[in-house]
Amino acid sequence: QLAGLAIIAFGLWLRFGGVMADFASDKKSPEYFFMGLYVLVGAGALMSTVGFFGCCGAARESQCLLGTFFACLMVIFAAEITAGVFAFIGKKAAIQEAQKIYEDTYDDYVKNPGGKVNGTIYRYHLALQCCGKDTIEQQVELPCPENIQMPKASNCLVEIQNTIDAYLHLVGIVGVAIAGTTVSKTMFSL
């Protein structure tokens, strides 16, 4: 139950807090990312419910509730494995989608430097600690953060790829840990 509540809190924090909250109000918000966060919150709610079945089944020594707990854990384990496989298979598509969103925002900024896109492009640069797509000459015209390192500064497309790679590895490690916990819970429920 506590793990489910922690996942719900983490998903809601990613969605409504921090840097991603700024992108949520923009016209070109990364909707697939937000859909993934809603799935994460739903999975946390499911985990809390399943945890409740396990606690009640153990406290009352009910074979029916423990059997329900076991069946739900097997479904969750299968879903975790499936989600992990799809996450690693779809990594390239996720990187391309994020880069396309940045390029569209960049092109909108070039067409209208004083509009609402000015704040959006700045938030991208601040979150990724980069500035521009190709060359350092572009930075003169772009709203860039002051304290970024120069090797990273010239290409946000590369920085998007590096960020997604890093976070996907972290998600994979957490997923393996959760899957291991799920297997151990399944054994204890038997």
Side-chain angles (χ1 to χ4, degrees):
Q1 282 179 312
L2 293 177
L5 292 175
I7 289 174
I8 290 170
F10 181 67
L12 291 176
W13 175 77
L14 281 177
R15 173 59 178 91
F16 296 109
V19 177
M20 289 310 295
D22 294 335
F23 294 127
S25 59
D26 292 330
K27 182 177 78 173
K28 295 184 183 302
S29 63
E31 50 211 43
Y32 292 118
F33 179 77
F34 291 130
M35 285 191 310
L37 291 180
Y38 293 137
V39 169
L40 186 67
V41 170
L46 179 65
M47 285 178 66
S48 292
T49 304
V50 170
F52 177 74
F53 286 141
C55 287
C56 288
R60 298 174 78 48
E61 297 180 8
S62 168
Q63 289 183 353
C64 180
L65 283 175
L66 286 175
T68 303
F69 179 67
F70 174 78
C72 289
L73 283 180
M74 291 306 292
V75 170
I76 289 172
F77 181 70
E80 288 171 351
I81 297 298
T82 304
V85 168
F86 280 122
F88 285 107
I89 288 174
K91 179 175 82 167
K92 187 174 181 178
I95 290 170
Q96 290 173 343
E97 180 71 23
Q99 288 174 335
K100 183 180 180 323
I101 290 170
Y102 176 78
E103 287 179 330
D104 290 345
T105 305
Y106 180 89
D107 293 340
D108 286 349
Y109 174 78
V110 170
K111 291 176 189 171
N112 184 12
K116 181 181 177 190
V117 182
N118 188 2
T120 304
I121 196 103
Y122 181 75
R123 285 191 295 267
Y124 272 109
H125 293 160
L126 190 62
L128 296 170
Q129 287 295 301
C130 63
C131 192
K133 290 194 312 187
D134 300 316
T135 62
I136 294 178
E137 288 82 34
Q138 293 173 336
Q139 293 179 18
V140 175
E141 302 161 0
L142 289 171
C144 300
E146 294 89 29
N147 300 328
I148 56 175
Q149 289 110 12
M150 287 318 273
K152 289 175 69 173
S154 63
N155 198 335
C156 284
L157 299 178
V158 171
E159 205 52 42
I160 288 170
Q161 180 174 353
N162 293 342
T163 302
I164 290 176
D165 280 339
Y167 282 117
L168 233 105
H169 289 299
L170 180 65
V171 167
I173 291 168
V174 170
V176 167
I178 291 173
T181 305
T182 303
V183 169
S184 68
K185 289 178 192 175
T186 305
M187 298 303 218
F188 286 131
S189 71
L190 286 177

